[in-house]
């Protein structure tokens, strides 16, 4: 198949950026209100997914269909029917399958791998972390030497969302072209100094008094509310993936590879997930996204953040 593509991997910043270039390209050639379907398969029935694959372009020569998370969040029915459908998609339709983890050759998506072209965006480890950091900094006319970048990686791990938040903070805090290690040490809170794991645990286990105290501590420490929501969103997202791995009976070795986290963070995550159901995690994830949107609209940070711990 020359019109089916798989975007996958833990480096979601780069994968979403690449996918956005496809949407932008379509917008120059067609009306994306008619010739673009962007579907979350975790909350959409098969009939709607199938309908999007059957429609032909109205105003351009191609129609773009983006199916998000069909093999990690969708039902087994959708996975089975998509695999059956994959060879019968019109040449006028470009199908982009998006997953925010690496799709292996032994998982549910394995049958489609031989039918698709793949774009893999692996976890931010080693050279991948360096390349992405340098790319983000260069767009803001900033630099950081490699030893400082590697030090930064020990603080933020392989969490793309957190890396972006921390780099934005460093870019805004530094007037110099080259961001020094001293500035990183001053402005970036490492895993061992952050209460984000204790905070997410207190929130999800409904220990409101403890959660409120930790939230206030984070803000008094100087952590920006948007950074807290970004950290919590990244944390809850990984907890959802881990919960799904546990429910699917995956081994700890398989799970560690899928989650692709700093070892310290992964050990914390395992402890936090034991008694929490997937539905609770998804519900709180939605609450976090709403809080993030309210903060960006200019609502007062303290009531928004304290509402998260109730």
């Amino acid at each position: 198949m020359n019109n089916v593509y798989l975007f996958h991997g833990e480096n979601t910043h780069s994968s979403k950026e690449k996918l956005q270039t496809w949407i932008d390209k379509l917008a120059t050639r067609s009306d994306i209100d008619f010739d673009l379907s962007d579907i979350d398969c975790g909350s959409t029935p098969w009939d709607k997914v199938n309908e999007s694959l059957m429609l032909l372009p109205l105003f351009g020569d191609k129609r773009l269909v983006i199916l998000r998370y069909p093999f990690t969040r969708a039902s087994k029915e959708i996975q089975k029917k998509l695999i059956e459908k994959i060879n019968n998609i019109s040449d006028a339709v470009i199908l982009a399958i998006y997953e925010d983890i690496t799709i292996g050759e032994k998982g549910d998506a394995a049958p489609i791998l031989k039918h698709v072209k793949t774009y893999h965006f692996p976890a931010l480890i080693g050279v991948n972390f360096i390349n992405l950091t340098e790319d983000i900094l260069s767009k803001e006319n900033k630099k950081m030497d490699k030893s400082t970048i590697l030090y930064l990686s020990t603080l933020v791990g392989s969490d793309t969302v957190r890396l972006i938040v921390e780099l934005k903070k460093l870019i805004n805090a530094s007037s110099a072209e080259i961001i020094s290690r001293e500035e990183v040490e001053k402005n970036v809170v490492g895993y061992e100094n952050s209460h984000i794991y204790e905070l997410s645990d207190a929130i999800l286990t409904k220990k409101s008094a403890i959660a409120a105290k930790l939230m206030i501590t984070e803000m008094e420490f100087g952590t920006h509310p948007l950074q807290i929501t970004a950290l919590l969103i990244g944390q809850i997202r990984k907890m959802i993936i881990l919960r799904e791995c546990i429910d699917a009976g995956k081994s700890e070795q398989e799970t560690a590879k899928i989650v692709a986290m700093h070892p310290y963070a992964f050990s914390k995550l395992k402890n936090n997930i034991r008694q929490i159901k997937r539905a609770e995690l998804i519900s709180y994830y939605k609450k976090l996204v709403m809080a993030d949107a309210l903060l960006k609209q200019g609502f007062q940070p303290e009531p928004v953040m304290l509402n998260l711990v109730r």
Side-chain angles (χ1 to χ4, degrees):
M1 299 291 294
N2 294 320
N3 59 331
V4 182
Y5 299 82
L6 171 65
F7 292 69
H8 67 125
E10 294 74 15
N11 179 0
T12 55
H13 172 80
S14 296
S15 61
K16 288 177 179 178
E17 197 172 63
K18 177 71 173 178
L19 194 53
Q20 186 60 46
T21 66
W22 286 35
I23 296 172
D24 294 342
K25 185 176 181 180
L26 176 70
T28 66
R29 298 181 176 181
S30 184
D31 187 329
I32 60 174
D33 289 334
F34 293 94
D35 288 340
L36 170 66
S37 291
D38 194 338
I39 297 173
D40 184 341
C41 293
S43 57
T44 307
W46 168 250
D47 288 348
K48 293 291 184 183
V49 174
N50 189 44
E51 179 183 339
S52 71
L53 296 171
M54 297 286 288
L55 293 173
L56 296 177
L58 289 177
F59 295 102
D61 59 342
K62 295 289 183 182
R63 175 175 164 74
L64 176 60
V65 178
I66 302 170
L67 298 184
R68 298 180 188 267
Y69 323 117
F71 295 101
T72 54
R73 303 183 194 175
S75 65
K76 294 294 183 182
E77 177 197 19
I78 287 180
Q79 293 174 13
K80 181 184 177 193
K81 289 187 174 180
L82 179 58
I83 291 170
E84 292 171 351
K85 180 85 176 180
I86 208 81
N87 285 318
N88 297 305
I89 296 172
S90 168
D91 289 340
V93 173
I94 297 172
L95 171 59
I97 298 171
Y98 181 89
E99 294 285 359
D100 56 8
I101 65 171
T102 295
I103 298 300
E105 296 181 357
K106 296 183 179 179
D108 294 328
I112 72 160
L113 292 179
K114 60 184 178 181
H115 299 292
V116 303
K117 295 180 179 180
T118 62
Y119 290 97
H120 185 212
F121 303 87
L124 297 182
I125 299 172
V127 69
N128 294 325
F129 188 99
I130 293 172
N131 289 342
L132 179 57
T133 301
E134 290 180 335
D135 181 57
I136 293 172
L137 290 173
S138 69
K139 291 176 181 176
E140 301 293 335
N141 297 314
K142 297 285 187 179
K143 295 179 181 178
M144 188 184 292
D145 64 57
K146 286 185 171 54
S147 63
T148 303
I149 293 175
L150 291 174
Y151 171 68
L152 177 63
S153 74
T154 67
L155 298 177
V156 305
S158 59
D159 189 330
T160 311
V161 174
R162 185 167 182 215
L163 172 63
I164 295 165
V165 168
E166 296 295 355
L167 286 176
K168 286 182 179 178
K169 185 168 68 173
L170 287 165
I171 289 166
N172 291 331
S174 176
S175 58
E177 179 186 0
I178 299 176
I179 298 173
S180 67
R181 174 167 174 145
E182 288 72 24
E183 288 174 299
V184 174
E185 290 173 346
K186 177 182 177 181
N187 291 290
V188 179
V189 179
Y191 283 120
E192 67 277 10
N193 298 318
S194 175
H195 295 287
I196 207 69
Y197 302 102
E198 291 85 352
L199 177 58
S200 60
D201 183 53
I203 289 169
L204 292 168
T205 54
K206 298 179 174 60
K207 298 175 182 175
S208 299
I210 295 174
K213 182 179 179 181
L214 290 170
M215 181 70 80
I216 291 170
T217 299
E218 282 289 327
M219 288 193 287
E220 287 179 345
F221 186 80
T223 309
H224 193 283
L226 281 172
Q227 183 185 1
I228 297 174
T229 58
L231 289 169
L232 284 171
I233 285 170
Q235 175 78 349
I236 300 301
R237 174 180 161 275
K238 286 182 168 61
M239 291 175 83
I240 292 170
I241 295 171
L242 179 55
R243 181 75 265 171
E244 290 175 343
C245 287
I246 292 171
D247 293 344
K250 294 186 182 295
S251 69
E252 185 166 318
Q253 185 177 7
E254 284 180 293
T255 302
K257 185 176 180 181
I258 290 170
V259 178
M261 290 178 64
H262 187 284
Y264 178 84
F266 183 64
S267 68
K268 286 279 189 180
L269 197 64
K270 287 192 298 181
N271 292 334
N272 286 3
I273 198 72
R274 295 183 183 184
Q275 304 300 322
I276 303 170
K277 296 180 180 178
R278 181 177 180 273
E280 293 177 280
L281 292 168
I282 292 174
S283 176
Y284 191 68
Y285 186 90
K286 291 177 180 177
K287 191 175 181 181
L288 274 170
V289 171
M290 178 60 71
D292 190 71
L294 290 173
L295 290 170
K296 289 173 180 174
Q297 290 171 31
F299 282 72
Q300 287 297 313
E302 189 166 313
V304 172
M305 299 309 289
L306 289 178
N307 184 57
L308 288 173
V309 304
R310 290 174 183 162

